[in-house]
Amino acid sequence: MSILNLLFTKDGLIYQIIKNKSVLEEKSYFVDEESPKDFIVGKLEDILIKQRYDEVSVVSALNHFTLMPEGFEGHDSGYDLIAFNAPVDKENEELMLSVNKKFKLQFYYTFPREFYQKIKDLSIPIKFNFSGEKFLNSINNKNNKEIHINLYHNQCEFFAISNKKIILYNNLDVNSDVDFLYFVMFTLSKIGFGINDTNFYVYGETTENETFISELQKFVKNLKVVYDNVPNKNFILN
């Protein structure tokens, strides 16, 4: 069985081709100043016609989202709720829903309609999910107060959890380690998490973001790198 995994971030696309649970191919594409306007959509088209797939799994880490309790049924207001966090273009964005049974939450998020339609046109089984839901489902929550940070290329998402309840989730562009470190510390003060009694867990592109981690270690007492992405084994995709 041939499975295509796709991860969309704010400025990139990562794909894996898996056959019988073995990663056959993996590659990342990121937009830079010299990239053409339709760089990502062009790469997506190339990936989709690379071979025949039996199934496609899509994860969106794009930061157009909102978080609601499980059971919320106001789906018609999904776009409006997301608009409180990020600009919404109803004509060009598909409204999506991911439910997390483990913590009884659901994520409304938007996904570029152009990407959505090209993937759907394959006419094979396709699974769409939001990175926050997938990340949350992988977390083993044990302690009283915890911060879980998942690092990407120039981006991160994090959860604040207390007594097995989600206090806060955010998905941020990371333009500098200093800015993100300040934001983490500011967030702790606002939600009442003390530096010494909070456990920090870091996942994802930890090697790429080692400066941020080393700076964070100067301020926090309890920090553990749980998972570091390695070639052919990206945490968010598996």
Side-chain angles (χ1 to χ4, degrees), residues 18-134:
I18 296 179
K19 191 172 182 64
N20 299 326
K21 298 184 178 181
S22 296
V23 177
L24 300 182
E25 187 175 337
E26 176 182 303
K27 194 167 184 179
S28 304
Y29 300 102
F30 295 104
V31 174
D32 59 30
E33 294 178 355
E34 299 179 358
S35 300
K37 179 181 178 182
D38 296 326
F39 177 70
I40 295 298
V41 72
K43 294 302 181 184
L44 175 61
E45 290 173 345
D46 292 342
I47 294 165
L48 296 179
I49 64 172
K50 183 180 282 287
Q51 67 173 66
R52 187 189 182 283
Y53 307 105
D54 297 301
E55 182 180 300
V56 180
S57 176
V58 183
V59 176
S60 173
L62 304 174
N63 54 6
H64 285 203
F65 69 92
T66 194
L67 187 60
M68 300 298 290
E70 183 185 15
F72 177 80
E73 296 181 351
H75 304 315
D76 292 342
S77 61
Y79 281 115
D80 295 331
L81 291 169
I82 293 169
F84 285 112
N85 295 327
V88 172
D89 182 354
K90 293 183 180 181
E91 298 300 317
N92 295 301
E93 293 181 83
E94 198 76 21
L95 181 63
M96 315 289 282
L97 175 66
S98 288
V99 178
N100 184 275
K101 298 289 186 180
K102 184 177 177 180
F103 286 90
K104 302 185 185 311
L105 297 172
Q106 58 192 42
F107 297 82
Y108 286 99
Y109 65 102
T110 59
F111 188 68
R113 190 158 289 154
E114 184 176 19
F115 297 167
Y116 178 84
Q117 196 56 58
K118 288 183 182 298
I119 297 168
K120 292 287 286 185
D121 284 346
L122 291 177
S123 298
I124 59 175
I126 300 168
K127 299 176 182 177
F128 288 92
N129 202 357
F130 182 61
S131 61
E133 195 285 322
K134 193 170 180 66

Side-chain angles (χ1 to χ4, degrees), residues 147-160:
I147 300 290
H148 294 262
I149 302 171
N150 194 21
L151 298 167
Y152 299 91
H153 175 80
N154 294 336
Q155 187 179 352
C156 85
E157 60 188 343
F158 72 95
F159 283 96

Side-chain angles (χ1 to χ4, degrees), residues 106-226:
Q106 58 192 42
F107 297 82
Y108 286 99
Y109 65 102
T110 59
F111 188 68
R113 190 158 289 154
E114 184 176 19
F115 297 167
Y116 178 84
Q117 196 56 58
K118 288 183 182 298
I119 297 168
K120 292 287 286 185
D121 284 346
L122 291 177
S123 298
I124 59 175
I126 300 168
K127 299 176 182 177
F128 288 92
N129 202 357
F130 182 61
S131 61
E133 195 285 322
K134 193 170 180 66
F135 180 38
L136 183 59
N137 209 39
S138 71
I139 289 174
N140 292 315
N141 176 237
K142 299 176 182 178
N143 300 294
N144 185 31
K145 294 179 180 179
E146 298 179 355
I147 300 290
H148 294 262
I149 302 171
N150 194 21
L151 298 167
Y152 299 91
H153 175 80
N154 294 336
Q155 187 179 352
C156 85
E157 60 188 343
F158 72 95
F159 283 96
I161 304 176
S162 179
N163 294 320
K164 298 184 182 284
K165 292 184 178 180
I166 304 301
I167 306 301
L168 177 69
Y169 167 76
N170 213 335
N171 185 320
L172 304 167
D173 298 346
V174 180
N175 296 316
S176 79
D177 295 327
V178 173
D179 288 346
F180 181 55
L181 184 63
Y182 172 80
F183 183 83
V184 170
M185 295 302 155
F186 177 77
T187 298
L188 288 178
S189 67
K190 287 297 182 181
I191 63 178
F193 278 33
I195 291 292
N196 294 328
D197 61 0
T198 300
N199 291 275
F200 288 76
Y201 300 91
V202 185
Y203 314 70
E205 299 290 349
T206 58
T207 301
E208 179 181 333
N209 293 278
E210 60 184 355
T211 301
F212 161 72
I213 294 172
S214 64
E215 288 300 311
L216 184 61
Q217 287 176 320
K218 295 177 182 179
F219 294 92
V220 305
K221 180 180 179 182
N222 305 304
L223 186 149
K224 179 181 180 181
V225 175
V226 180

